[in-house]
Amino acid sequence: MYIIGLTGSISSGKSAVAETLKRFFGAVTLDIDDITQWMTEPGGELFDIYVRHFGGYVVTREGFLNRRLIGEIIFNHTDERKWINSVAHPILLNKARDFLVDCQESGAGLVVLEIPLLFEAGWEFLVDETWAVYTKKNTQVRRLMFRDNLTKQQAISRINAQMSAQEIRERADVKIKNLGSYNTVRKQVFAALRGRIF
């Protein structure tokens, strides 16, 4: 089993790379953001922890976490962001390990862990190789504004709160440049895996 740790700054296009690896190379994929979202739903492991910490005002009338409000808090307050990471990362790490055990037992050949904060969390030890997806900052801003209905300044604040795209790229084994063309992304993925058998 060969494990790729896929990372990149927010709205850089990681999902396009993960989809290519899944579609053309049979990769089994796990998106840590999906796990996080599931765990912050009512009844999830992180839901009660967040409510106890922030207070009931982060819960909507329908009983769900107000993700937009929590996003504003953590992306504008370094201490709160550190607290969330300190609480969530150990739980998510266990989920990732459980997933890898299941993949091993099922005989998976290629596994992709999509982890936005791979380097920040220090999870490189989980994977055999790290891949970084990157794009132009103005493209990131535009995508994030559209995706999350944010102002330009809000989008920039979220991007700046993470490790810089340059540092992520420098630390990765494989770099994938995503300028919006899926065909170009696919060609880079194929080039990175040329000749490999999983």
Side-chain angles (χ1 to χ4, degrees):
M1 184 172 79
Y2 196 79
I3 307 166
I4 292 174
L6 178 62
T7 192
S9 187
I10 191 170
S11 292
S12 57
K14 295 180 291 295
S15 59
V17 175
E19 180 58 32
T20 301
L21 291 165
K22 182 177 181 179
R23 179 180 176 188
F24 294 100
F25 296 91
V28 182
T29 63
L30 175 71
D31 185 344
I32 285 292
D33 279 349
D34 289 343
I35 301 300
T36 303
Q37 182 164 343
W38 173 70
M39 290 173 58
T40 53
E41 295 290 336
E45 291 179 63
L46 288 174
F47 180 88
D48 288 339
I49 294 173
Y50 284 11
V51 173
R52 283 198 302 271
H53 179 78
F54 292 114
Y57 79 100
V58 299
V59 180
T60 67
R61 283 181 293 180
E62 294 75 23
F64 297 93
L65 285 179
N66 186 331
R67 299 180 191 281
R68 188 183 184 90
L69 176 57
I70 291 177
E72 285 296 308
I73 295 171
I74 65 173
F75 284 112
N76 289 290
H77 298 86
T78 304
D79 289 345
E80 295 291 12
R81 187 163 65 252
K82 287 180 178 178
W83 175 83
I84 276 191
N85 289 339
S86 71
V87 170
H89 284 180
I91 299 173
L92 292 169
L93 179 58
N94 286 334
K95 298 295 183 185
R97 283 173 164 157
D98 290 344
F99 173 77
L100 293 176
V101 169
D102 290 343
C103 289
Q104 184 73 55
E105 292 177 349
S106 66
L110 179 62
V111 176
V112 177
L113 297 179
E114 190 176 336
I115 308 172
L117 302 182
L118 175 68
F119 295 124
E120 291 96 323
W123 289 4
E124 302 98 308
F125 69 92
L126 285 176
V127 305
D128 298 299
E129 186 172 85
T130 56
W131 285 32
V133 186
Y134 66 98
T135 189
K136 294 179 180 178
K137 187 167 184 178
N138 61 347
T139 301
Q140 277 184 274
V141 172
R142 188 174 65 251
R143 288 175 180 168
L144 194 53
M145 289 173 64
F146 178 77
R147 189 190 75 183
D148 293 350
N149 192 28
L150 301 175
T151 66
K152 184 176 182 179
Q153 187 54 52
Q154 287 173 324
I156 291 172
S157 294
R158 279 160 171 70
I159 292 169
N160 290 342
Q162 297 184 334
M163 181 181 290
S164 73
Q166 180 179 346
E167 184 176 353
I168 293 172
R169 193 162 64 243
E170 289 173 351
R171 293 178 63 170
D173 300 309
V174 174
K175 291 85 170 163
I176 303 291
K177 188 175 185 178
N178 180 9
L179 296 181
S181 168
Y182 177 70
N183 285 336
T184 301
V185 168
R186 185 180 64 183
K187 287 177 181 177
Q188 291 175 81
V189 171
F190 272 66
L193 295 181
R194 185 172 291 122
R196 301 202 207 179
I197 299 176
F198 300 104

